[in-house]
Amino acid sequence: MSSESGHNQFRQRLLQRQRELRALLETGEDAARVVELDQTSVGRLSRMDALQGQAMSQERGRRRQQELRRIAAALRRLEQGAYGDCQDCGEAIDVRRLEMDPAATLCIRCATAREQR
């Protein structure tokens, strides 16, 4: 990607999403805590609901951590001058794809090829 103003736009979007995800991770930690095992204080169905809620919260946290890693990698590529280049073929990633996913690492052709494998 050639435009410095375009890079700044994507940098700001990445940083904003990074802040949002970190805030969500902080607030979501309570729901991921260990569920009380004492069935005398919590009914069996309530405990099962709590376990399901805990599992869902943990999965959301895992996905948010994964997205944070993708964002950090995109920010490193920005610093290194490699942002917007496909990691497979080296061609420029279409700006429309980057607008949809600023952390994208593959052009649409290479992403499609990987999905078909």
Side-chain angles (χ1 to χ4, degrees):
M1 177 163 237
S2 60
S3 168
E4 187 61 36
S5 65
H7 281 157
N8 286 333
Q9 172 193 2
F10 288 118
R11 179 180 286 112
Q12 293 308 312
R13 287 184 59 198
L14 288 163
L15 291 171
Q16 175 62 34
R17 183 64 180 151
Q18 186 179 56
R19 285 189 294 272
E20 291 170 1
L21 287 168
R22 286 179 176 162
L24 286 169
L25 281 171
E26 286 177 19
T27 59
E29 287 178 1
D30 287 340
R33 294 214 170 124
V34 176
V35 174
E36 180 66 42
L37 295 176
D38 182 10
Q39 288 189 12
T40 59
S41 64
V42 178
R44 185 168 186 244
L45 291 177
S46 295
R47 184 173 173 276
M48 289 172 57
D49 286 344
L51 286 169
Q52 182 179 11
Q54 177 191 36
M56 289 174 20
S57 180
Q58 288 172 338
E59 178 60 20
R60 277 191 303 272
R62 186 193 67 75
R63 288 179 187 209
R64 288 173 180 153
Q65 289 286 355
Q66 183 178 26
E67 188 176 354
L68 280 170
R69 286 190 295 274
R70 291 181 69 241
I71 289 170
L75 290 168
R76 280 192 303 275
R77 288 191 304 279
L78 272 164
E79 290 173 10
Q80 297 165 352
Y83 182 78
D85 296 337
C86 177
Q87 290 185 337
D88 278 2
C89 71
E91 295 295 319
I93 299 172
D94 190 289
V95 70
R96 293 171 296 183
R97 180 164 171 78
L98 291 172
E99 286 170 353
M100 292 296 294
D101 179 8
T105 60
L106 301 172
C107 68
I108 194 70
R109 186 172 36 98
C110 291
T112 302
R114 277 197 186 185
E115 287 177 4
Q116 294 175 351
R117 289 183 198 164

